[in-house]
Amino acid sequence: MRALSAEGLIEVWERGTQRTLPERALAFLGASLPGRKRGDLAALTVGERDAGLLALRDRSLGPDLRGRTECPECNSRLEFTLPIRDIYVADGSAPPAEGRFEQDGWSLRYRLPTAGDLTAATAASRRDVAVVRAELLRRTILEASHDGAPIPAPELLERLPEKIIAALGERMTAEDPQAEVELRLSCARCGHGWIAYLDICNFFWTETATMSERLLGEVHALARAYGWNQSEILAMSPARRQAYIERISE
């Protein structure tokens, strides 16, 4: 995996602006792993995908995530810094290719959701969580039976109890733990504690979009003032670019 330069991140941002978050995740990984086929990247489990995004974020923008949120109790703004090394929750071993889940007479043969599954599910509906979840279940439950009787695929989602769906989700999370990272936060003002979930794809994309828009503004200003092209400007250190920006603002 190669780090992405400022210009490389801008290229990913440009390609991903009109895409869904799962497509943006594959765009990040595709840019950093040019020798890997898209199909191979799409076959990664969600946890494997997110581990790759964390590694890429570390190499491209540094070892710490810096963000902000609000306390759900008193609405105070909370700023935080998270070392990326502390966010890895998987042990690095490959998740199982398939599994079998049994409870209350139900027997399900399943596989873990992949990056490609998320891309397909969000293509079906970007906003309806129920539609996305149903599509993921259709793609990842390979075989089902209840009390020994096979359940046809078209009937499965109507007959499958919510209790079984929730338990299956817990099993999948246990087998692919990097796919769901909990952050335990507390408010310095009121002492309230809560759990948030880190979406590294959304976090990395937001950083990249903010940085890209800022850098393009700097490129515009410096190109007009000095005639340099984008590659020349982006190859400068941030400190040098800022020094030139200050001079043309005088």
Side-chain angles (χ1 to χ4, degrees), residues 18 43 59 144 198 214 230 239:
Q18 301 300 320
R59 296 184 184 191
L198 174 67
R214 174 179 54 79
Q230 176 173 290

Side-chain angles (χ1 to χ4, degrees), residues 156-193:
L156 178 60
L157 294 187
E158 294 181 1
R159 298 178 58 179
L160 196 60
E162 186 64 35
K163 175 183 176 182
I164 300 300
I165 294 174
L168 176 62
E170 291 177 1
R171 170 73 66 82
M172 289 178 169
T173 297
E175 292 179 344
D176 196 23
Q178 196 65 59
E180 188 173 285
V181 177
E182 287 187 354
L183 303 180
R184 298 183 179 275
L185 304 176
S186 61
C187 178
R189 180 177 179 182
C190 71
H192 178 71

Side-chain angles (χ1 to χ4, degrees), residues 1-2 28-41:
M1 174 179 286
R2 68 181 187 188
F28 275 123
L29 295 179
S32 67
L33 297 166
R36 296 282 295 274
K37 296 180 180 179
R38 181 179 174 84
D40 294 336
L41 296 175

Side-chain angles (χ1 to χ4, degrees), residues 32 101 133 147 179 237:
S32 67
F101 174 82
R133 187 180 76 157
D147 292 336
S237 68

Side-chain angles (χ1 to χ4, degrees), residues 15-16 22 35 40 50 59 71 79 92-93 105-106 108 132 135 158 172 176 179 181 219 249:
R15 292 197 303 270
D40 294 336
D50 287 0
R59 296 184 184 191
C71 172
E79 296 186 352
S93 59
W106 285 91
L108 306 174
V132 172
E135 179 63 22
E158 294 181 1
M172 289 178 169
D176 196 23
V181 177
V219 168
S249 299

Side-chain angles (χ1 to χ4, degrees), residues 1 29 44-58 84 88-90 92 176 178-179 181 200:
M1 174 179 286
L29 295 179
L44 295 172
T45 68
V46 177
E48 290 173 326
R49 181 202 72 172
D50 287 0
L53 290 174
L54 284 170
L56 177 59
R57 167 56 174 75
D58 186 354
I84 289 177
Y88 289 105
V89 296
D176 196 23
Q178 196 65 59
V181 177
I200 183 57

